[in-house]
Amino acid sequence: MYNFLISPFVEFEFMRRALVGAIALALAGSPLGVFLLLRRMALTGDAMAHAILPGAAMGYLAAGLSLGPMTVGGFIAGLIVAVGSGVVARTTILREDASMAAFYLISLALGVTVISLRGSNIDLLHVLFGSVLALDDATLLLLASIATLTLIGLAFLYRPLVMETVDPGFLASVGNAGGPTQILFLMLVVLNLVGGFHALGTLLAVGMMMLPAAAARLIAKDIGSMIALAAAQGVLASYAGLIISFYAGLPSGPLIILIAGALYLLALAFGPAGGVLRRLRSRRHLEA
């Protein structure tokens, strides 16, 4: 059992690096996903994950697969889309989800086009799907720094975030913290999506945020428990996905997200806080 479950991480440095990077993403991204879910912004997270692509592509066009330019470019692009969609929603008849969808489609198409100007199909696949098994020291340091900054930021924003999630009107009535809280929260989301982009690519980065959060929502009823469960499921999906990919010879990033998806489906069926079976039992009890 030891040889099967532990040996790959002891013998191979690239497996240890992948596990550390994926755990950093899980610990920081999953709690953000809980708040995105509770604030009904799940699709916003998905759109913002794709919105970083043109900025990362510009960094790639300028310096190749270089960590710094692609990170800065992706962060700036994500912020532009997040702020731009809000401005459009407030100055036109379009709602924020419609403007976000428009920006997301434009960003995705622009990013793929920019990468195609200089790179190959291999480079495009690297950007879209990441390379969690090829994390170097600089990328690991970036992921660890993002995770640390995110957890500190969430500790600082926790109370206003919870208040705005549960009762936005109350927070607005007692002060002007709602606007700054939303901006700082979105900055943390973009920062984590940029970090996730380096390991899982733009198409899968949001999966580490939303799937564990959705599963936790079906299991737990209070926000603190949801955050803990989401982070734990993210860590479990990271470990299981890497182990299975090692022995099966399949891509690690997609398998990590598939394991997170399997945990979500289990919660969807058996979750005590809102799973399908619980709902069916409740209806039968009421009918009886």
Side-chain angles (χ1 to χ4, degrees):
M1 187 64 70
Y2 169 84
N3 289 335
F4 183 81
L5 297 178
I6 307 297
S7 178
F9 300 102
V10 174
E11 295 180 9
F12 300 101
E13 184 179 6
F14 69 89
M15 289 290 288
R16 293 196 297 272
R17 291 174 178 272
L19 183 62
V20 170
I23 288 176
L25 290 175
L27 293 178
S30 299
L32 292 173
V34 170
F35 284 107
L36 284 171
L37 192 70
L38 294 176
R39 294 157 71 91
R40 299 183 180 181
M41 296 174 64
L43 291 179
T44 298
D46 184 55
M48 289 171 62
H50 295 83
I52 69 175
L53 183 56
M58 292 294 183
Y60 168 79
L61 196 63
L65 293 173
S66 178
L67 182 67
M70 294 182 72
T71 299
V72 173
F75 183 70
I76 293 173
L79 286 182
I80 289 174
V81 170
V83 174
S85 62
V87 171
V88 169
R90 286 165 177 78
T91 56
T92 70
I93 62 172
L94 291 177
R95 297 185 61 176
E96 190 163 4
D97 59 341
S99 61
M100 184 69 75
F103 277 110
Y104 143 64
L105 292 170
I106 294 170
S107 298
L108 183 60
L110 178 61
V112 171
T113 302
V114 170
I115 293 173
S116 300
L117 290 175
R118 173 175 172 178
S120 63
N121 289 335
I122 295 177
D123 295 326
L124 181 59
L125 289 174
H126 171 83
V127 172
L128 293 179
F129 296 103
S131 53
V132 69
L133 293 181
L135 300 179
D136 56 15
D137 290 341
T139 306
L140 281 180
L141 181 60
L142 174 68
L143 295 179
S145 300
I146 289 174
T148 302
L149 180 62
T150 299
L151 293 176
I152 293 174
L154 277 177
F156 177 74
L157 296 173
Y158 185 77
R159 290 188 65 184
L161 266 178
V162 171
M163 285 191 291
E164 190 178 36
T165 300
V166 175
D167 188 357
F170 173 76
L171 187 62
S173 67
V174 298
N176 298 318
T181 297
Q182 175 79 349
I183 293 172
L184 290 173
F185 174 69
L186 288 177
M187 289 179 67
L188 290 178
V189 171
V190 172
L191 193 60
N192 276 267
L193 290 173
V194 171
F197 147 76
H198 289 294
L200 300 173
T202 57
L203 295 183
L204 298 177
V206 73
M208 187 60 82
M209 277 190 184
M210 300 313 308
L211 287 172
R217 177 68 180 87
L218 294 164
I219 298 172
K221 293 184 177 179
D222 63 275
I223 295 178
S225 298
M226 288 180 206
I227 290 174
L229 278 169
Q233 289 188 72
V235 172
L236 176 59
S238 300
Y239 171 79
L242 288 170
I243 281 288
I244 293 173
S245 72
F246 179 80
Y247 290 109
L250 296 173
S252 299
L255 268 177
I256 289 173
I257 302 305
L258 279 176
I259 296 298
L263 294 174
Y264 163 73
L265 292 176
L266 287 174
L268 186 64
F270 304 106
V276 173
L277 293 183
R278 175 180 172 81
R279 291 297 181 94
L280 290 176
R281 285 197 300 266
S282 299
R283 287 181 182 176
R284 290 172 183 171
H285 175 73
L286 291 173
E287 289 173 358

